[in-house]
Amino acid sequence: MTTTAVPDEGYDWSDIDRPPPDLEVDGDQLAADVDAAGECTPSTPCHRDGCEFCDPAGWLDRQRPATTPVPGPAEDQAADGDFWAARASLARVHQFARARRGAPWATLGVVLTRVVTATPPFVVLPALVGGHGSLNLFVATVGASSAGKGTAERIGEESVDVGPITTASVGSGEGIAHLYARRVRGGGIERHTDAVLLSVPEIDTLAALGSRQGATLLPELRRAWSGEALGFSYADPDKRLPIPGHSYRLALLVGVQPARAGGLLADADGGTPQRFIWLPATDPAAPDVAPDLPAGLLWQRPPWPMAEFGTSRVVLPVCQAARAAVDAARLARLRGQPSDLDGHALFAQLKTAAALALLDGRAEVTEEDWQLAGVVATVSRRTRDGITATLNQVERERNRRRGEAEGDRAVLVAERVEDAAAQRVARWIVRKVAAAGGVAAHTELRRSLAGRDGRHFADAIDRLADAGQIVTEDIDGGARTYRLLGGAS
């Protein structure tokens, strides 16, 4: 069997060209394979050239579910084309998610981050713009509280088995380098991990950590997304923990409630939200009856191409359509055209295309991978736009309530001012009538009242009358007097 040269990075490549013995296959298919290959069985594969059973390129296609996959609903098909029906791997993820009452898109996001995490860090994208591109992938699963973001993570883990991977929660920017290395006695640096999947169930955690005074988390995550070197240049060399670029793998999975995503979207100037694939954790067209649960996929790591000459990096071949799109977008940005939230859209699409190819057991990005990743990008934009609309609605409601509160406050203040003025004029009337011997003419009182208080006179008289402090008397000729009652002062 032809072998493929790969970089020596301490990985066990002994089984790179053979399927794992515990892979589940359909019984009828297994019988056919055994007949075709003689003594070839899952436990004792023959590994002969041309054996369909041992050919890793044929494994994934034979993982088709025994029952017909439930296609996406008509409205999903109209919006997303035949995405889920395009490949057996996608159909399996879709059916598995619906059988477990999860969201297919969010489940796919989880699967892709796990596949990327399981891919060695020396596997990179070609240097289409600048240097080599990293496969490091960020996915945000979007839904209201209890919508199923955590459910999607569990379903994604069970629907496609990528083997053991290291998962961790997010902390400070300085702590990211410590996920991969540590200082040892004598001042040396020991690498203990090459790949980590960061899982953040709630966006509030990421936003809070990123908004702290002097926080370095978001800038460090942005560097990780691009595969750049990690670590900080402390004055004390014993505190430095440098992680070279493209020597690590990092994927990030974040759960997002739309109304609470403002903190992340607010970092658009820094470029953080542009690096995410935004996928819904809901399935509005979920069927009334869940489909049968298919067997989970066992991911087959593809044989890697030759390492790039003079380096230890394996560069995934990329189709011309993706190359042309990336180059055209870069040229537009060089000419000063604005990019706003879509500044990294094509790079994120290329990462997605590579993840879809890897999920399908291939180490190259084809035009179909690129087109399917375009569907994911459309869903991502649609989901992100929905978040923006939700945030705008929340802000409008907040402004409305603020305006109502300010109006109520203004009315209350005005009422209190009027009440205080009426009480002050009432006290003045009592003093003037008392000074006049207990009886005073209306004309004399009004004439001696300050002009600014004239509009409060009638209200003050009514209050005094209601309180039993004064009585109004009409005398001959239509004149009016006010008599102070006993005990009033």
Side-chain angles (χ1 to χ4, degrees):
M1 181 177 248
T2 302
T3 58
T4 304
V6 295
D8 183 9
E9 296 282 346
Y11 293 89
D12 180 12
W13 300 103
S14 60
D15 63 345
I16 193 169
D17 285 330
R18 67 193 63 169
D22 57 346
L23 182 63
E24 294 186 33
V25 296
D26 180 74
D28 294 336
Q29 181 65 55
L30 175 59
D33 288 334
V34 171
D35 290 340
E39 296 180 355
C40 186
T41 67
S43 59
T44 58
C46 68
H47 306 304
R48 294 181 300 181
D49 289 340
C51 175
E52 183 180 354
F53 183 77
C54 292
D55 178 16
W59 260 144
L60 204 54
D61 286 339
R62 288 198 299 279
Q63 302 253 347
R64 294 182 182 276
T67 57
T68 302
V70 177
E75 51 268 37
D76 283 351
Q77 292 295 319
D80 307 326
D82 295 325
F83 179 88
W84 298 109
R87 292 177 179 171
S89 56
L90 298 178
R92 181 69 64 90
V93 170
H94 186 270
Q95 183 176 348
F96 204 103
R98 283 197 158 169
R100 287 286 183 84
R101 291 305 194 190
W105 283 114
T107 300
L108 178 64
V110 173
V111 168
L112 295 183
T113 58
R114 294 180 64 83
V115 167
V116 165
T117 305
T119 300
F122 58 72
V123 180
V124 297
L125 294 167
L128 304 183
V129 176
H132 288 120
S134 173
L135 294 177
N136 294 349
L137 189 67
F138 291 1
V139 171
T141 56
V142 181
S145 178
S146 302
K149 300 183 290 294
T151 299
E153 190 163 356
R154 292 188 293 273
I155 295 174
E157 181 177 355
E158 294 185 28
S159 61
V160 179
D161 182 2
V162 301
I165 60 175
T166 300
T167 60
S169 58
V170 72
S172 65
E174 292 80 359
I176 292 180
H178 290 267
L179 295 172
Y180 303 97
R182 57 175 165 259
R183 282 279 176 183
V184 295
R185 184 173 300 177
I189 297 176
E190 179 184 68
R191 285 292 296 267
H192 54 78
T193 305
D194 290 319
V196 176
L197 171 59
L198 289 177
S199 178
V200 185
E202 295 296 340
I203 188 62
D204 290 353
T205 302
L206 188 64
L209 291 170
S211 62
R212 289 177 178 175
Q213 183 74 20
T216 58
L217 176 60
L218 296 184
E220 195 74 347
L221 285 176
R222 292 195 293 269
R223 286 197 291 270
W225 187 80
S226 300
E228 300 174 12
L230 302 178
F232 296 86
S233 299
Y234 295 104
D236 184 355
D238 291 336
K239 293 183 178 180
R240 298 173 189 170
L241 200 61
I243 307 297
H246 297 297
S247 71
Y248 63 93
R249 176 72 67 226
L250 185 142
L252 174 61
L253 188 63
V254 179
V256 177
Q257 294 184 39
R260 307 188 71 84
L264 182 56
L265 291 178
D267 197 49
D269 289 345
T272 302
Q274 297 93 313
R275 288 166 163 81
F276 279 83
I277 303 297
W278 305 78
L279 298 176
T282 55
D283 186 14
D288 293 337
V289 178
D292 296 336
L293 180 68
L297 291 172
L298 185 58
W299 181 61
Q300 180 74 8
R301 184 173 55 190
W304 307 118
M306 291 286 292
E308 190 174 67
F309 180 76
T311 74
S312 61
R313 294 175 184 171
V314 168
V315 181
L316 297 182
V318 171
C319 66
Q320 183 56 36
R323 289 174 174 270
V326 171
D327 184 70
R330 177 58 182 169
L331 181 61
R333 287 195 292 275
L334 280 174
R335 292 173 175 173
Q337 297 181 6
S339 59
D340 58 90
L341 275 178
D342 289 324
H344 296 276
L346 287 179
F347 192 10
Q349 183 176 339
L350 185 57
K351 288 170 177 272
T352 305
L356 289 169
L358 292 168
L359 171 62
D360 214 36
R362 292 177 291 101
E364 64 172 333
V365 177
T366 65
E367 186 167 344
E368 184 185 54
D369 295 320
W370 178 248
Q371 292 172 349
L372 291 174
V375 176
V376 178
T378 299
V379 174
S380 176
R381 286 192 297 272
R382 191 169 63 213
T383 305
R384 193 188 64 203
D385 289 346
I387 293 175
T388 302
T390 297
L391 291 173
N392 290 339
Q393 181 179 354
V394 169
E395 184 62 22
R396 286 193 298 270
E397 179 65 17
R398 184 182 295 117
N399 290 337
R400 183 188 66 80
R401 292 181 179 179
R402 185 183 299 118
E404 290 180 352
E406 291 175 353
D408 292 343
R409 189 179 302 111
V411 169
L412 180 60
V413 169
E415 289 177 347
R416 289 181 176 178
V417 169
E418 293 290 308
D419 182 68
Q423 290 184 33
R424 177 170 48 78
V425 172
R427 290 192 297 270
W428 178 87
I429 292 173
V430 169
R431 290 196 301 272
K432 294 294 284 186
V433 174
V439 179
H442 170 82
T443 304
E444 293 298 327
L445 286 176
R446 283 293 285 114
R447 185 181 295 120
S448 59
L449 182 63
R452 63 184 176 86
D453 290 331
R455 62 190 182 91
H456 302 297
F457 184 83
D459 187 17
I461 290 293
D462 290 341
R463 293 185 180 214
L464 291 172
D466 291 341
Q469 293 183 272
I470 204 170
V471 63
T472 302
E473 297 178 343
D474 293 328
I475 60 177
D476 294 341
R480 181 180 302 170
T481 61
Y482 301 109
R483 179 182 299 278
L484 197 62
L485 296 180
S489 60

